[in-house]
Amino acid sequence: MSPTKAAGKLLNNPRSRLYWGVPAVLLALLAVVFVAKWLTGLGPVAEFMRTYPGHSELPPDTPTGMPAWLSWQHFLNGFFLLLIIRSGWQVRTMARPSGHWTRNNKGFIKTKNPPKKISLELWFHLTLDALWVLNGVIFVVLLAVTGRWVRIVPTSWDVFPNALSALLQYASFNWPTENGWVNYNSLQVLAYFVTVFIAAPLALTSGLRMSPAWPANATKLNRFYPIEIARAVHLPVMIYFVIFVVVHVFLVLATGALRNLNHMYAGTNDDGWAGLIVFAVSLLIMLAAWFASRPLLLRPIASTMGKVSR
């Protein structure tokens, strides 16, 4: 075998890509840190960061703190999203379904055409999607009603230079001084806004376009929104959510774990242990749900909503 073919075979091996990819990513991150530290040491950049400290000012009547409903929303969103990613990946990679499900057409939802038979994994994925969307709608409504929407929706153009400033601070490990109890930094605001109002709708619309619920005979609608576009969008959006969750959890733990977890799970602004305990319990629940999401348990649940077959 020639050296070129041997090198190509080595690069195409998944283990080899992982072997070389991890050090490459670490070196790239190290380079980012060095560049960020060099940039923040320059006079004009330092002056820019003094002008834009990393957060925008909020209206004086903006609510502070974390109410109980927000803690529940946060847990449910993470719970559903974890299982959605798991079941979605199963649907994408499974060679043979563990079973099939057909909706009961005599229940709450009735259609003229007979229901389509889908895999048990797809039923689980779509059911989780519906619960996740319902939770998201409640979240957005409560944000609007309580006035908390201004905390994750940019209200001033200076959010962009402030976000750049916050990014430089994170990258140089001189992390921005922040108090999430009162105000998120601008990079967080943009990340939350993109996640809630852009990524989530994209996941919903692309998933709906690929689901059996989409009308197959809607010629004009299908021409306007081809299924190829939905397929091209759905996976990258899932990858975005995975990256967002990983970075989000890392920063929560790295920038003051006890206080941040108390904000999110205990509704207090202190360094007690209540938030960590609730967070640990929530992780155990998510872990249990991950391992319980198997055909043995899914079949009897699915049978209450339709017919389950092999």
Side-chain angles (χ1 to χ4, degrees):
M1 182 182 295
S2 67
T4 303
K5 290 184 177 180
K9 185 176 180 180
L10 183 64
L11 290 175
N12 288 328
N13 188 305
R15 291 185 179 180
S16 297
R17 289 200 297 268
L18 181 64
Y19 179 82
W20 292 106
V22 171
V25 170
L26 292 176
L27 286 175
L29 292 175
L30 189 61
V32 168
V33 173
F34 277 114
V35 170
K37 284 188 172 294
W38 171 71
L39 286 173
T40 55
L42 299 177
V45 177
E47 179 61 28
F48 167 81
M49 295 174 67
R50 281 191 292 270
T51 305
Y52 300 101
H55 63 272
S56 300
E57 294 298 327
L58 293 176
D61 58 345
T62 301
T64 61
M66 303 288 177
W69 64 263
L70 192 58
S71 299
W72 276 103
Q73 285 281 324
H74 192 274
F75 163 71
L76 290 174
N77 187 59
F79 178 83
F80 291 136
L81 192 58
L82 176 70
L83 296 180
I84 284 171
I85 292 172
R86 180 184 188 274
S87 59
W89 189 251
Q90 285 181 323
V91 170
R92 186 178 182 86
T93 59
M94 66 179 179
R96 183 180 180 182
S98 60
H100 293 87
W101 177 84
T102 307
R103 177 174 54 82
N104 181 3
N105 205 27
K106 298 179 181 179
F108 178 74
I109 301 177
K110 297 180 181 179
T111 56
K112 182 183 299 184
N113 297 322
K116 295 180 180 179
K117 179 188 292 187
I118 61 176
S119 69
L120 190 63
E121 288 77 10
L122 181 56
W123 164 83
F124 186 46
H125 185 66
L126 294 176
T127 303
L128 290 167
D129 286 342
L131 294 173
W132 181 62
V133 170
L134 176 62
N135 185 65
V137 170
I138 294 173
F139 172 69
V140 171
V141 170
L142 288 174
L143 280 182
V145 170
T146 61
R148 294 179 179 275
W149 64 271
V150 296
R151 299 196 60 184
I152 65 169
V153 176
T155 57
S156 172
W157 287 107
D158 70 358
V159 68
F160 295 106
N162 274 304
L164 178 58
S165 175
L167 179 62
L168 288 171
Q169 293 173 61
Y170 278 124
S172 61
F173 278 85
N174 183 24
W175 288 350
T177 302
E178 60 187 46
N179 183 7
W181 189 258
V182 177
N183 189 8
Y184 298 125
N185 70 57
S186 293
L187 193 59
Q188 288 176 300
V189 171
L190 291 179
Y192 295 150
F193 176 80
V194 169
T195 301
V196 174
F197 297 105
I198 298 179
L202 283 176
L204 171 61
T205 54
S206 59
L208 182 62
R209 177 63 181 89
M210 296 186 297
S211 77
W214 188 268
N217 298 325
T219 306
K220 292 183 179 180
L221 187 59
N222 291 341
R223 189 183 303 117
F224 174 76
Y225 189 12
I227 193 171
E228 290 78 14
I229 294 179
R231 287 171 177 163
V233 167
H234 204 63
L235 181 60
V237 171
M238 186 203 75
I239 294 173
Y240 167 82
F241 275 111
V242 172
I243 295 173
F244 173 82
V245 170
V246 170
V247 174
H248 178 62
V249 172
F250 170 76
L251 290 178
V252 165
L253 299 178
T255 59
L258 290 179
R259 184 171 294 271
N260 289 334
L261 291 174
N262 278 333
H263 289 178
M264 297 160 60
Y265 290 99
T268 60
N269 187 27
D270 56 44
D271 293 324
W273 291 86
L276 178 60
I277 294 172
V278 176
F279 174 64
V281 172
S282 72
L283 287 182
L284 291 176
I285 294 173
M286 291 181 184
L287 189 63
W290 178 281
F291 287 105
S293 302
R294 299 180 182 278
L296 182 64
L297 182 61
L298 294 181
R299 285 194 187 99
I301 299 176
S303 64
T304 63
M305 304 168 61
K307 180 182 178 181
V308 176
S309 58
R310 294 289 182 179

